[in-house]
Amino acid sequence: MMRGKRLVNRLATLIAMILGCLLADASAKAEDGYDLWLRYAPLEGEALDRIAGLHGPVAVLSSDGPEEASATMEAARRELGVGLTRLSRNSASSMRSGAEGYVRLECPENRGDSAVGYSVRADGADIRIRGSSDLACLYGVFALLRELSLGVDPVRIDIASEPAMPLRMLNHWDNPDGHVERGYAGRSIFDWWHLPERLDQRMIDYARANASLGINGVVVNNVNARAFMLEPRYIAKYKRLADAWRPYGIRLYVSVRFSAPKDIGGLDSADPLDPEVRAWWQAKADEFYAAVPDFGGFLVKANSEGQPGPQDYGRSHADGANMLAEAIGNRGTVIWRAFVYSAEDETDRAKQAYGEFVPLDGQFADNVIVQVKNGPIDFQPREPFHPMFGAMPNTKLMFEAQITKEYLGFASHLAFLAPLWEEVLDQEPGRGGRVAEVVLPAGMAGVANTGSDRNWSGSHFDQANWYAFGRLAWNPELPSEQIAREWTVQTFTREPEAIEKIVRMMMRSREAVVGYMTPLGLAHLMNTGHHYGPAPWVCDLPRPEWNPCYYHRADADGIGFDRTESGSDALSQYADSIANRWDDPNTIDPRFLLWFHHIAWTAKRPSGLTLWEELVSEYDWGVAEVDAMAREWADLSDAIDPQRHRAVTESLAIQQREARWWRDASIAYWQSLNGLPLPENVRPPADPLEAYIGRTFPEAPGQ
Ligand code: BDP
């Protein structure tokens, strides 16, 4: 009998082991990136023991709310249940004995998106999540699960957090036909064609991911907007989405085409001072609010890159924005973009937005926010900060970042962008504190990098940019490295050496891209239209500022855009404390050298090298950095699940090849101008210049 029992036990153990292996294998296979940073991978060892006694379901202590749990509270409970179960190895039975504790959600059951600060604190064996709205509890649950994922001992958890800024939003450049402008992750995640009847599960998963970061606003369509997206049939679609996102604290915004009263409204003008036009927008806004009572508002790209705007009628940006602001009233916000440059204006493009907007400081209505890109040109791998941040003390300014990597190698190049944003947020523009402080009354917007790809972002590492944007919008003081580390642990592995390697890769990645694409302050050298690959030679496009040669100004003698007093004087738009430092090529931060100065190829630099030698060594450094990243990643094959490891390996191989392409094509072109030999021991470009010029990619994505 005994022996029979033992046999049965052994067999049972064996079957369990085989099943375990199969399951483990299945879950390894299932690592396709869809779960983002919300994988809640099972904890192990001590970390697992420590959460063993922790339970949901949770006690909800409702102080003044209705009996029924709100949808937000339901979402919080659900997330907690899923998170705790997965962290504790997917099986309640594996919860060891020990102190039994509950996670208690102590939030009123009211809906609210203003008071969302939360605290998460251990209290004996329990954990209490407190806040003054249901959304605070949802945010607190995500914070708790993040801490637990990071292996923090529950009894030590003691966090209090609130968002630094009111608006933390994603801007989607998604078109109604499903194409995503500057999108490298497949088609749009928004299925406009089937909405409102069909709501994809992705819309909920997307909202969860955003809520986990505290993102609270989503502009669902491209800034280059189609007017028909304001028609009633679209408002019904927005309603369905807004209803689905409301529990997650996300308000929906829409990009509008300024000429809509003419395009779809039957009027013959869109003049913002025309009473009929004003009445049209008023009625339109009312229609939106009737369907979506918490509708966020309108985002507008006006008089920029061919888009219509108030200047078509001799009116100012303030006239246009204030007209829409009046229509929206205190129900929402108008976000007016400062990304403008004109087809006729000969002024240095880097100066134009400042020139148009700064004189309007103080004239925008209270519910208008002016959205300013991080730099004065256009989301380049590196730009100095936008001088508008220091020049409009009486206007709410929002920081616009580009999460999708239009100018940083699309989705195949690894470039962790938190250091780029941190670099700008940390600058002191001269008035109002650091940029991070200037934008506090408004917020941050990020051009989304999501798409229909299974991994959402086109590559696994690009998820980190979505994550980092959200974390910085919640707290712009978070160091990039901390963000990289917490993302890595949640997304990839808890193995300490692997974490360090991945964080190192991430932290060097953006600088590497600058190195092989646009070192020493160069910018906008990408190929025409799609911006894929190098094309510094392009100089024949109809508008001067569309040409790379406009930006680098290289000739036989030197390279760089003189933006000092002897040139375009864009430097004068910066505070004296900065302008004085940047005015001198020997004291300027070399990272901005050629942005502000035209320098002779043979000029001796403080480094002792000539400019030419310095430039070439930057390219080589960038290429070597990518090689180093690829080597580090190759070493991680044991720490990362095979599917994602292989995917990243393949992307890095593309990046290695394209980094060389950038370096070689750039060097070949500069040499064709300056006739200088390469410094000693430097590898010549693999191909002649003509071969690089001849490469065309009309099919490149995202155009
Ligand atoms: C540029 C993009 C273009 C956008 C524009 C914008 O190339 O597709 O429409 O910015 O921000 O970077 O409006």
Side-chain angles (χ1 to χ4, degrees), residues 57-60 66-83 105 107-111 133-139 141-142 145 204 208 246-248:
V58 291
V60 180
E67 289 296 292
E68 287 283 291
S70 69
T72 300
M73 226 43 171
E74 280 304 327
R77 282 202 248 196
R78 219 170 23 243
E79 195 70 33
L80 193 58
V82 170
L105 300 188
C107 293
E109 291 279 1
N110 65 351
R111 204 186 284 144
S133 69
D134 49 6
L135 190 53
C137 260
L138 178 62
Y139 287 166
V141 163
F142 280 116
L145 292 172
I204 305 299
R208 269 179 67 226
R246 192 166 296 115
Y248 297 90

Side-chain angles (χ1 to χ4, degrees), residues 269-349:
S269 166
D271 180 351
L273 299 192
D274 178 332
E276 268 193 286
V277 171
R278 298 177 83 86
W280 188 86
W281 280 110
Q282 181 67 58
K284 188 48 72 185
D286 292 347
E287 213 178 320
F288 267 80
Y289 281 99
V292 184
D294 56 355
F295 175 61
F298 296 139
L299 171 67
V300 194
K301 170 174 177 177
N303 293 120
S304 163
E305 298 188 325
Q307 293 300 320
Q311 292 174 348
D312 304 346
Y313 305 92
R315 315 297 184 194
S316 73
H317 289 292
D319 293 330
N322 292 345
M323 184 245 329
L324 293 175
E326 193 180 289
I328 294 261
N330 60 11
R331 300 173 291 189
T333 309
V334 170
I335 302 166
W336 194 268
R337 296 180 83 231
F339 176 71
V340 296
Y341 59 97
S342 139
E344 291 86 39
D345 196 341
E346 297 279 286
T347 317
D348 174 4
R349 174 173 165 190

Side-chain angles (χ1 to χ4, degrees), residues 374-388:
N374 58 267
I377 299 241
D378 195 5
F379 298 140
Q380 295 303 297
R382 169 164 282 121
E383 290 187 43
F385 69 85
H386 204 305
M388 275 177 68

Side-chain angles (χ1 to χ4, degrees), residues 620-633:
D620 279 329
W621 177 85
V623 170
E625 285 290 283
V626 181
D627 289 347
M629 285 171 9
R631 276 196 305 275
E632 298 237 41
W633 186 255

Side-chain angles (χ1 to χ4, degrees), residues 380-409:
Q380 295 303 297
R382 169 164 282 121
E383 290 187 43
F385 69 85
H386 204 305
M388 275 177 68
F389 286 122
M392 298 190 70
N394 303 307
T395 305
K396 281 189 212 149
L397 299 180
M398 192 158 173
F399 181 106
E400 183 176 343
Q402 195 182 42
I403 307 173
T404 187
K405 303 204 312 297
E406 174 181 358
Y407 295 100
L408 287 100

Side-chain angles (χ1 to χ4, degrees), residues 196-207:
E197 287 83 4
R198 250 165 61 178
L199 184 90
D200 200 287
Q201 172 62 28
R202 255 197 194 230
M203 293 295 93
I204 305 299
D205 296 335
Y206 167 78

